[in-house]
Amino acid sequence: MTSRLIFFVLSICSLQSAFCQNKGRNVKGTTARIAQNQSDPTRKVFNLNTNWAFFRGDVKGAESLKFNDDKWFSVAVPHSMRLEKKHNGGAQIYQGVGWYRRYFKVDQWASRKRITLNFEGVQKNCEVFLNGEKVATHYGGYLGFVVDITAVVKFDRTNVLALRVVNTNDPLTPPGKELDRLDFNYYGGIYRDVSLIITNKLYISDPLEANKIAGGGLFITYPKVQKEKAEINIKTHLVNGIGISDSVTLVSSIRDRNEKEVARSVTKGLVKAEMEFDQNLVVLQPKLWHPDHPYQYHVVSQVYKGKKLSDEKITLMGIRSIAFRSPEGKSDGFYMNGEKLYLRGANRHQNYQFIGDAAANSMQYRDAMQLKKGGFNAVRAAHYPQSPAFLDACDKIGLLVIECEPGWQLFNKDSVFIKRTYQQVREMIRRDRNRPSVFLWETSLNESPTPDSWAKEVVRIAHEEMPNNQMFTADDFFAKGRKYYDVSYKVINEDGTDPNPEMPSLTREWGDTWMADPQKENGLRASRMYTAKGLLAQCVLRQNALNGTMLEEEGGYWDHAKLDANKRIGGYFLWSYNDYTRGSDVITAFSGVVDIDRYEKFGYYQLQAMQDARNPVYGPMVFIASYNSRPDLDSTITVFSNCDQVKLYRNNQLIGDMTRKDNAVTAPFVAAKGGSPYYTFKTSGYEPGELKAEGIMDGKVVAKSVVKTPGKPDHLEIEIADWGIKPVADGSDMIPVYIKVCDKDGTVITNTKALQSFKINLQVTGEGALIGAAIPRIEAAVQYTEGGIGYGIIQTSEKAGNIIITAGSSGLKSASTTMSTIPYAGRFLQDGIHAKWKFEKETEDSSVLPTDAVDVLPPPIKVTPEMIREPLGGLPTKIENLIDDNLSTIWMPGKNQLPTELVINLGDSYTLKGSRIIWGKDSDWYTYSIALSTNGINWQNVITNKKVSGQEYKPLSYNYENVRQIKITISEVQPEKSKVAIKDLQFYGVKTNEKR
């Protein structure tokens, strides 16, 4: 059994009882929320995820009842408008229009009820039609919406629900950035759950539909939380759609996990149209929510009209208090329930291989579980509100969450954009304000040059929506509106001093360099498609950063705020948990501690070792960061462990024995914060065979890791990566699987050279299907391994039973395994009469939108330091850093003043075809101009006051003849206190006398 599999088994054993209890309530997100109300006759929730027809493209009249969709494809939600290959960066994903149609029937008994459609996420903008009538338009892909269809639905006959979904660039809908300039991808489609809810006309509202400031639905707050007693306030918004006043009784009961009532309040009132009930309850000896013991109570809200139950709703809650100051008022960290808690978090993007963002709720749960077991106690939901199912898991298993408004390096001054940013802040707070996991609200547009007035208003809105002392907003410290926010990121000066000791501080991103080249295997981005060298280098640089380095060449940066070396910082969030693809770059961002397919890299175990071995939530661990297959690497062995002592054996011979205490000197700030620096064991020389590490606590071996040198490829093995969550036969659940190329002993054949690969054929039969099997373009059924590992996602059918998975590869023994699905416990909506659609299959048609032709630029002009004239005055600089084609070096002017001007004298006359500036810092904003001259006297502007972020590094194309001089003027750098900084500068052209 490999060390990874040992870890996997231990993970399931330790987590399964905590994560999978109350199976009907939480494991399947909306499916679970459906199941929790099955005994309640007053509120019926129907699953609307299956039996959709889909067409990629725009069609006139597709909303009509009579429209002929018999050539459309049959799909299930969550759904992406086009499945994509694994490495799909560079704006290769589908951007366009997609149509969805769903036929359903509603029984006559519901004709006196209220009927709504609940969409958890449609990317990006959509129009909703029912029976040919438009019933809603929605903008934005990251928050859900509710549509009242009571007046439009027809009973005992087929209804047709149609959605026109548009995923093209929209500068007015946050984040608003064009895909080809964006650091992640917009995957279009109905990519989160859809349900139909039937209630009586006297009901508890939905906060997104109610659209009330600090209201709608249930709003649960905790005015006073102590170990002995917790005071709880519940505001419940009731709506009476009957048209006459009714005498109403609201019974709110707080119950523990065993359904024992611990508090109760009964309030009566006369409700004409709507009314908010305000109730105060007390829970004695409360079990407080904390990442180490995430205890959840639930509120049972019962609405009576007279003596008849009209509505019932169950809402999960966690009793806790948070603060960013100590009881004495010092801004020296983060406090939960009065006790300091150091936050070790990671940033998470919601995308997956093949399916983009369209992942089932169980996949969301697995991510949360993997984060938790990986040593993290917090997650930043970068850069948008994420799935309710993911947040359900964070509530349940104990992951604190930074909730982020949709935004990334763009601010649009248009009033429509601004209005939508404000509304989305309101909606994300209304959706998630009751969650114990959400502790910080990033009411800012990530790394965007927002004006002071915008920041002031958005913070005011956040506090208006959550008017208590548990609302904390955050933005970067050097942003213009910093004085309005409650918490700042990156509170540090470039020289390491603290600019404001009174401002609570976190580091929102660290551990990545945006221009790192994974092929070189020497930076902060690493992939198993290369070799162990890169995976190790990533870990070395990240420990340097954790231990406080501010030097880029060592893996840090000054605005990381020194991480563990910062005495008062509240914590950090690694960039990133998972690899992801970007619209702006064809190269995948290999910054994760796990792959896009969620297979763990070495860095995953490095961060796992940051948690206390005696904390039962995490426990002791040891991991050998080696494949023992490369003599040039494996004479020195790196081991991660949080145990008191580590012993390393090679072929049963002890080669090293170190204590955690003695090893602490290698990274003292990491150790002082409770983490465990990696162990380095130097051996006398490389030997193939077996490496074994033992983690020892109190003199006993409590953890082991074994690595064997891979032999010759022999066979395939299949790992079902379900993390203990049983797949459900609901027609939309998903289960990930890994296919491994192994030697005869079961050791994975890892890479010793970059891009080694095996061709694999994957087949799924029975009560499930391989997603993308009929689409050769994405390489799901026929694929190539990375580091000896392939991947697939299986979708369940609506019938419980066995799913058979078979994998084969030329020259290797094939593998086959079977898993079973369990019956679905929720309600499906009755299907309407429609054509029999085929399963989705791609042809060589218009699926891929045309892209603009890319200009081919000539080689860069050779520029020497003597050709560059710097700004006058100031200290000497390393001008050669501008032109050394080395992104680890940087040029800064010797005098910090604006504007800053560089003049390049090319000497000869050139036909200039383009230029490229690689800026010094990815999250800064630079305003610059470029002018050209034939004589150094008369200048012609090519670029005038262009404002760009530091991540806009692609070459610009133009065509100017007889150019001898180039002048670059940098007139502004944002945010405040940022400085002019350039990593590299290139100009493309040919000498005039060489032009053909």
Side-chain angles (χ1 to χ4, degrees), residues 527-741:
S527 170
R528 68 171 188 264
M529 72 165 63
Y530 302 108
T531 75
K533 180 181 179 181
L535 302 178
L536 278 168
Q538 185 183 54
C539 297
V540 171
L541 292 171
R542 282 183 171 167
Q543 177 161 294
N544 292 342
L546 266 183
N547 201 49
T549 186
M550 298 170 69
L551 301 176
E552 284 191 79
E553 59 268 30
E554 294 179 356
Y557 198 79
W558 71 268
D559 72 4
H560 292 163
K562 297 194 289 189
L563 299 169
D564 285 354
N566 187 323
K567 291 183 178 180
R568 72 175 193 87
I569 197 171
Y572 60 72
F573 291 79
L574 173 74
W575 193 272
S576 58
Y577 155 62
N578 55 309
D579 290 351
Y580 63 100
T581 56
R582 305 171 286 172
S584 62
D585 199 331
V586 295
I587 300 172
T588 295
F590 295 112
S591 52
V593 292
V594 301
D595 190 281
I596 297 174
D597 64 18
R598 290 359 185 217
Y599 199 88
E600 297 92 351
K601 306 179 193 178
F602 291 170
Y604 179 81
Y605 304 97
Q606 177 184 27
L607 275 297
Q608 192 183 26
M610 296 301 114
Q611 292 290 352
D612 185 357
R614 288 178 169 79
N615 183 338
V617 174
Y618 299 97
M621 61 79 60
V622 65
F623 178 85
I624 301 172
S626 167
Y627 299 134
N628 201 32
S629 59
R630 284 186 50 171
D632 58 328
L633 291 178
D634 296 323
S635 59
T636 299
I637 304 299
T638 300
V639 178
F640 306 125
S641 180
N642 59 359
C643 296
D644 293 340
Q645 182 182 4
V646 174
K647 291 184 177 181
L648 182 67
Y649 299 84
R650 172 170 267 161
N651 298 325
N652 293 320
Q653 297 294 315
L654 180 66
I655 60 172
D657 182 354
M658 277 190 265
T659 66
R660 182 174 179 273
K661 182 179 179 180
D662 290 340
N663 192 54
V665 298
T666 61
F669 293 113
V670 173
K673 277 288 202 299
S676 298
Y678 56 74
Y679 294 80
T680 302
F681 292 91
K682 294 184 178 180
T683 70
S684 57
Y686 171 73
E687 288 181 26
E690 180 184 275
L691 291 170
K692 180 177 69 175
E694 294 178 339
I696 299 168
M697 304 278 291
D698 301 322
K700 297 179 181 179
V701 176
V702 293
K704 290 183 181 180
S705 177
V706 176
V707 171
K708 295 181 179 179
T709 305
K712 294 181 179 180
D714 179 76
H715 66 276
L716 299 179
E717 292 185 5
I718 299 170
E719 177 187 325
I720 300 172
D722 60 7
W723 279 79
I725 300 174
K726 292 288 288 184
V728 178
D730 64 357
S732 65
D733 197 8
M734 299 175 185
I735 314 99
V737 296
Y738 298 113
I739 306 93
K740 301 179 178 181
V741 179

Side-chain angles (χ1 to χ4, degrees), residues 167-187:
N167 190 38
T168 51
N169 293 332
D170 179 4
L172 300 181
T173 299
K177 193 132 184 176
E178 302 97 322
L179 179 67
D180 63 359
R181 299 170 62 224
L182 190 70
D183 189 52
F184 47 98
N185 276 321
Y186 299 124
Y187 294 96

Side-chain angles (χ1 to χ4, degrees), residues 404-466:
C404 300
E405 175 182 11
W408 191 81
Q409 293 195 353
L410 178 105
F411 180 76
N412 189 337
K413 296 179 181 178
D414 190 287
S415 61
V416 174
F417 177 85
I418 291 172
K419 181 180 178 181
R420 289 177 184 172
T421 63
Y422 293 157
Q423 185 62 22
Q424 290 195 357
V425 166
R426 291 191 186 278
E427 290 179 1
M428 77 174 184
I429 293 171
R430 291 168 186 172
R431 190 190 74 166
D432 296 323
R433 64 198 174 194
N434 293 332
R435 294 186 178 279
S437 61
V438 179
F439 76 103
L440 188 60
W441 304 87
E442 194 172 302
T443 55
S444 53
L445 302 172
N446 183 68
E447 297 177 353
S448 300
T450 52
D452 182 282
S453 58
W454 183 89
K456 181 179 180 180
E457 177 62 10
V458 81
V459 172
R460 185 199 68 78
I461 285 170
H463 283 281
E464 181 181 50
E465 287 291 341
M466 201 166 173

